[in-house]
Structure formats: structure tokens, C-alpha cells
Amino acid sequence: MAPLDAVLGWDEDTTAEAYAAFTRDFPMYGATSRDLAHRAGLAGSSLVVDLCGGAGATAEAILDLVPSQAQVISLDNAAAMQRVGRRTLTDPRLTWVTAPAENLAEHVPGAADAVVCNSAIWKTDVAQVFAAVRQVLRPGGRFVFNIGGGFAGVRHPDETSVRPGPSLNTLIHQVAANDYGYAPPPTTEEAPKLPLDAVADHLSVAGLTVLDTEVVAQHSTMAEKKAWLSIPVFARPDGEFTHAQRMDILDKAYSLTTPDTPTVTSWLVVVAQRPRELR
């Protein structure tokens, strides 16, 4: 499922609770978190940062891989998301910090072995965040993050080969037009928000080196897509709708689909590193 650019609204209890329920019931955030954590090479780590960590799905994946004496910092500017995470993730190795990603360097006590950011980097001031990541990483430390395919301008072959019929987003717009007189804004062909060449340029300016990139596919179902669109920050369509109206539209659109219809989302995964110091 292509991620929608939900920048605002995360510091709301209804969103935090809905997001936490989604991560419990469906594999998307857990799977992407484990993928990034494995790529970060955490086996010998002492300090790892979960950047834009939300309710802790990625922190949980990190904690599964770091040594028993390691420290993990989960930093996010949405206190509501962290309140939910604190209830369920009580590992003593984990510290919660409520702050913007751009202020990362103000809250990390020492050289981090890795910084991991799942499903959020495009919502930040990328140049400022990359510079902060470079500042907190030890020489040789890794920065691992992903970007939704729509924002990176990439599509995995699996996504292009799946043609299950109208997307749930398309059906949402149709139902909204029929039942609520919704007139969607004209579609325009926009350039990708954060393509790989721009990412590489930002990393280079920050003093970070690209080690690896890969376009991966996340496989799910229409049922998971519906649950994801039930989270208030992702609910559609845009415009003057209440959340209840959006859920009514979503239910009607979903009734026109088959729950186990496969869906595929593309992601660009980037592994970067602070260069090792020359001796």
C-alpha cells in the first residue's frame, strides 16, 4: 500500500490507539521494522536510535537484536504515540524521548552504533535530519531508513504485476462522489518527493556514505489496506468530512472488494554509514 503523506495528526490519542491496534493485527510495520533492524547490523551495538519511533514497533525489532546491555532510544515528537508505546513496551533498555527528529543530536548522550527510521523520513526536514544523524553516529555507524515508493518514485516488479481491479482509494473516491457529492481535485503528475538521487545528495552533503539501496515489495491484502485507512491520519478522502463520514465511505468502498485480494507496496530501502576515520 502506498503510504499517504500524513505529516500532522500523530499527537492525537485516537490516531495513536488506532495505529497501535493496526500494528498488533497486521504485519506491515512489524515486517518493515525487522527488515531495517537486520540491515543495521546490530549484533554488537551499545547504543541504537529509533528515529521517528512512534509507538515503538521499530524499537521492539531493534531490542530483539541488540545485546542485553545495549541502550535503545526511541525519539518521536508525538507524545500520544509514545504514551501508547510505553504501556506495551517496557524493556529497561529502552528510553523514550519526545522531540522532533531534527533535534536528534540534542538528545543522544554518546556515539550511536546505528540510527533506524521506519516509514517517516520524508516527513522531516531531510537535510537537517541527515546532518543530525551524522553528528550522533560513531565512525562506521549505520543509518538505515526506508521511503514509500510513491515518494521515492520507485515501483517493485511485484507491484506492477498485480492487477486486482480498482484500488481501495479509487473506490473511496467513487463512493464519496456518489453519496456525498465529492469532487476530487484534478490529478497532476508530480515529481517524486524524495528520489534516490536527492537522497544521495543529501547524505553526501551531511557527510554520510551510501552503502546499499534496494527496492523491496511489501505484500498485504485489501483487508490490511482497509485497516490502515481506518487510522485517522490516513483516512480518505480529503476535504470537509468528519471521521465518521470517512469511515462510512471506507466501509462502502471496502464492500465492493474481496478481503483477501493481494496488494503490493514498494519501498526504497537505504543503508548509509558515517565513514570510518583514517588513521
Side-chain angles (χ1 to χ4, degrees), residues 129-154:
V129 168
F130 285 7
V133 169
R134 164 56 169 78
Q135 188 174 344
V136 305
L137 280 176
R138 65 164 174 79
R142 288 190 172 189
F143 178 31
V144 185
F145 59 94
N146 55 12
I147 305 169
F151 301 124
V154 298

Side-chain angles (χ1 to χ4, degrees), residues 5-20:
D5 198 1
V7 176
L8 303 177
W10 289 101
D11 199 15
E12 301 287 342
D13 289 336
T14 52
T15 288
E17 296 292 350
Y19 169 87

Side-chain angles (χ1 to χ4, degrees), residues 1 27-28 218-222 224-225 260-265:
M1 62 195 73
M28 185 183 81
Q218 178 71 26
H219 294 260
S220 61
T221 63
M222 198 66 74
E224 184 172 3
K225 176 73 170 178
D260 59 357
T261 296
T263 63
V264 180
T265 303

Side-chain angles (χ1 to χ4, degrees), residues 25-73:
D25 296 340
F26 295 95
M28 185 183 81
Y29 283 110
T32 52
S33 292
R34 289 189 295 273
D35 176 56
L36 297 183
H38 279 287
R39 293 171 189 260
L42 302 178
S45 298
S46 298
L47 175 63
V48 179
V49 178
D50 170 24
L51 187 62
C52 303
T58 303
E60 184 174 10
I62 292 169
L63 288 163
D64 286 342
L65 296 178
V66 296
S68 59
Q69 71 277 13
Q71 292 180 284
V72 177
I73 296 173

